[in-house]
Amino acid sequence: MSRIVTIGAAQLGPIAPDESRASAVNRMIELLKQAGDRGCNFVVFPELALTTFFPRYYEEDISKMNHHYEREMPSAETRPLFEAAAERGIGFYLGYAELTPDGHRYNTAILVDETGKITGKYRKVHLPGHSEYDPNRPWQHLEKRYFEPGDLGFGVWRQHGGIIGMAICNDRRWPETYRVMSLKGAEVIVLGYNTPDVNTSAFEPNHLRMFHNHLTMQANAYMNSAFVVGVAKAGMEDGCMLIGGSCIIQPSGEIVSQVSSVDDELITYSADLDLAKMGKETVFNYAKHRRIEHYGTITTQTGVELPPELSEAAE
Ligand code: CDT
């Protein structure tokens, strides 16, 4: 049985605050058509792919932000995306803001199979930024105000002949994200992101934004023997520049396909999932080589207990 899966990374350019769902969905359908023409089995869209990155705006009354959230999936507005994908036999990953019937708010991604059925859901665990208005920032990053940390853990799903795991944006900077999924056998880890090209909480040279974007995904692809597909919403979104750099990374850690724009752009790669299996059976054979019983005791939530002189410095 073939273990080749043709993966599409469907980067989106900016979505204006007043751009309709219908327009965002149409843009994604356009990318799906290209994906169909290029033989894709599976397409990855960005984080919060249906709206502008609204956590950059402060709103005292959170319910005034409700129009950015989805209460059902698919809805009348998003169903055409599901239909266009199913017509072409393409599965997909889609990020969006979720408002549950009992009032919980999550930064969510779903996995959809080639028939248009939702097969998996992930809710972002690592929420960056802050929860109150910060006058010192040129724009806000209020994910902690508008979302709760995800309550579903890092799941994996069997689809397209392989094992797929999902993460969202800031999760990609945390090794635990990948390791938990790889312990469950993940061969393809997919994630969407919205990353401003400036760190507004402390000075950081600009070039590091893209360097860290790729560094985290490439290193973790290798260390967990998995394909990693990272897909941006990119470009100048209402005055905030979002990095692009969407790419497909193979288990060696090498980027095998990368976008060249900060606009709507599809890149594709035919991935041989047996490459992930090979790493899991050799260098990263956990049963054979991983020795957690020799790692020392993890005594606190934040990590290993430090000697007093170091723990003072750490504060
Ligand atoms: N969306 C998201 O998680 N973005 C963050 C930016 C952090 S700046 C507070 C990221 O890790 O890319």
Side-chain angles (χ1 to χ4, degrees):
M1 187 185 119
S2 163
R3 294 249 296 156
I4 305 283
V5 178
T6 301
I7 300 173
Q11 176 174 284
L12 290 176
I15 298 183
D18 60 356
E19 185 168 339
S20 65
R21 292 280 196 293
S23 165
V25 164
N26 278 340
R27 286 167 56 184
M28 285 190 267
I29 291 175
E30 190 47 50
L31 291 166
L32 269 179
K33 286 181 187 161
Q34 293 175 30
D37 292 344
R38 287 156 70 170
C40 285
N41 308 108
F42 180 54
V43 168
V44 182
F45 292 110
E47 172 194 36
L48 299 178
L50 296 166
T51 60
T52 201
F53 188 76
F54 66 87
R56 81 168 67 89
Y57 307 108
Y58 177 78
E59 186 55 70
E60 175 76 32
D61 176 358
I62 294 176
S63 69
K64 290 201 174 134
M65 286 293 197
N66 282 358
H67 58 290
H68 291 301
Y69 293 79
E70 310 304 310
R71 291 169 188 270
E72 51 176 347
M73 189 59 70
S75 60
E77 287 157 312
T78 51
R79 194 174 300 282
L81 183 69
F82 284 68
E83 288 170 353
E87 268 169 35
R88 293 165 178 80
I90 298 174
F92 64 93
Y93 161 110
L94 174 73
Y96 63 93
E98 177 188 10
L99 178 53
T100 68
D102 53 350
H104 293 282
R105 296 166 193 273
Y106 298 105
N107 187 339
T108 294
I110 48 168
L111 189 65
V112 178
D113 74 10
E114 68 283 1
T115 70
K117 186 175 138 219
I118 296 175
T119 49
K121 180 181 275 191
Y122 169 69
R123 291 172 173 154
K124 185 175 182 179
V125 168
H126 301 102
L127 298 173
H130 46 111
S131 56
E132 296 304 326
Y133 184 76
D134 180 351
N136 297 316
R137 295 182 190 240
W139 54 83
Q140 306 294 298
H141 197 107
L142 291 156
E143 286 196 60
K144 284 186 162 62
R145 183 174 191 81
Y146 297 126
F147 303 116
E148 294 170 47
D151 59 350
L152 301 175
F154 289 108
V156 300
W157 293 267
R158 284 188 185 278
Q159 191 163 304
H160 302 303
I163 303 178
I164 299 179
M166 294 190 278
I168 301 178
C169 195
N170 192 264
D171 289 322
R172 76 193 186 288
R173 304 186 193 274
W174 299 87
E176 298 90 326
T177 299
Y178 308 83
R179 182 47 56 100
V180 170
M181 288 189 267
S182 99
L183 284 166
K184 298 176 183 176
E187 295 173 310
V188 185
I189 293 173
V190 295
L191 61 98
Y193 60 91
N194 283 255
T195 299
D197 77 338
V198 172
N199 180 344
T200 55
S201 59
F203 174 74
E204 196 180 85
N206 262 98
H207 72 277
L208 291 179
R209 303 297 275 181
M210 188 62 82
F211 173 65
H212 290 153
N213 175 42
H214 287 153
L215 175 70
T216 53
M217 295 192 289
Q218 289 183 254
N220 281 287
Y222 172 64
M223 291 188 289
N224 295 284
S225 193
F227 287 86
V228 173
V229 184
V231 182
K233 174 134 63 60
M236 190 61 82
E237 200 178 73
D238 201 22
C240 173
M241 185 66 190
L242 299 171
I243 64 166
S246 304
C247 60
I248 301 173
I249 301 160
Q250 65 176 2
S252 63
E254 294 162 292
I255 293 177
V256 288
S257 187
Q258 184 175 332
V259 295
S260 56
S261 77
V262 285
D263 218 326
D264 294 6
E265 181 179 344
L266 177 80
I267 54 168
T268 63
Y269 184 72
S270 293
D272 177 358
L273 301 192
D274 281 345
L275 271 183
K277 187 164 171 260
M278 188 266 284
K280 289 175 196 302
E281 287 175 351
T282 56
V283 178
F284 298 110
N285 183 326
Y286 294 151
K288 257 194 188 157
H289 310 304
R290 189 166 173 267
R291 285 290 164 263
I292 54 172
E293 66 276 25
H294 293 280
Y295 292 170
T297 313
I298 295 173
T299 52
T300 67
Q301 161 71 6
T302 48
V304 177
E305 187 126 8
L306 296 168
E309 65 280 12
L310 279 184
S311 63
E312 256 173 49
E315 283 164 25

